[in-house]
Amino acid sequence: MATHLDLQDRYQADWNKYAHEVLNVNLDDRQKEILEAVQNNRRVSVRSGNARGKDFVAAVASLCFLYLDRPSKVINTAPTNRQVVSIMMSEISTIHQKANISLGGEVLSQKIKIPGKPDWFLEGFKAADKDTEAWQGFHSQKLMVVVTEASGIDD
C-alpha cells in the first residue's frame, strides 16, 4: 500500500483530487472553488453564510497544505478557544482519521505533530487580542494561516 509521502507528487497540483481520493471527502462545487482558490492564491477571503461548510473546507485546505507542501506549518485560529478546539481541530481530526491512507503524524487536541520533524506541524490556538507574542516564531517558507470567524478577531 502506498504511503502518503509517496503520493505528494501525484496530488500537488490538484488539491480537490487529493481531498476526494486521499482525504475521502466530498466537497460541493462552491467548496471546490474555495479549495482551488486557496491552493492557487496567496490570500483568500470567504464571505460568511450559515451552514455553508466553511470550517469543513478550511480543515480540508489545512490538511492539503500540511501534507502536500511539506515541510510546512499551518496555524488555525478563531475568536474563541472553543471554536479552535471544538470546531476547527475537531473537523481536522475527523478528516485525518477517515482518510483512505495513513497520513502520519500525531493528532492532539490542538495540534498535529510529525514525529522527528519539529518544523512541520499544524497548530490551532486562540491568540488573545493584542497578544503579538502569541504570533511570534512562526517562520517557514511554507506557512498557512487559517482564520475563521474573522469578524470576531481584532484587526
Side-chain angles (χ1 to χ4, degrees), residues 40-61:
N40 295 310
N41 297 283
R42 184 175 163 93
R43 291 182 185 196
V44 175
S45 176
V46 178
R47 292 189 132 226
S48 64
N50 291 334
R52 284 295 305 132
K54 294 180 306 295
D55 289 314
F56 181 76
V57 76
V60 171

Side-chain angles (χ1 to χ4, degrees), residues 46-112:
V46 178
R47 292 189 132 226
S48 64
N50 291 334
R52 284 295 305 132
K54 294 180 306 295
D55 289 314
F56 181 76
V57 76
V60 171
S62 296
L63 289 168
C64 286
F65 190 87
L66 181 69
Y67 288 106
L68 294 175
D69 283 318
R70 65 180 202 269
S72 57
K73 296 177 183 176
V74 180
I75 309 304
N76 284 264
T77 193
T80 68
N81 196 55
R82 180 195 65 80
Q83 288 169 307
V84 171
V85 174
S86 299
I87 298 172
M88 297 179 84
M89 291 303 299
S90 176
E91 292 277 19
I92 289 166
S93 177
T94 299
I95 295 166
H96 191 279
Q97 181 180 19
K98 291 182 178 182
N100 285 325
I101 65 167
S102 174
L103 298 177
E106 181 181 1
V107 180
L108 307 170
S109 65
Q110 289 189 252
K111 190 169 190 169
I112 295 177

Side-chain angles (χ1 to χ4, degrees), residues 11 14-27 35 60 64:
Y11 295 105
D14 190 345
W15 286 14
N16 276 302
K17 187 174 182 177
Y18 178 79
H20 181 72
E21 293 181 4
V22 176
L23 297 181
N24 197 27
V25 298
N26 292 309
L27 302 176
L35 187 59
V60 171
C64 286

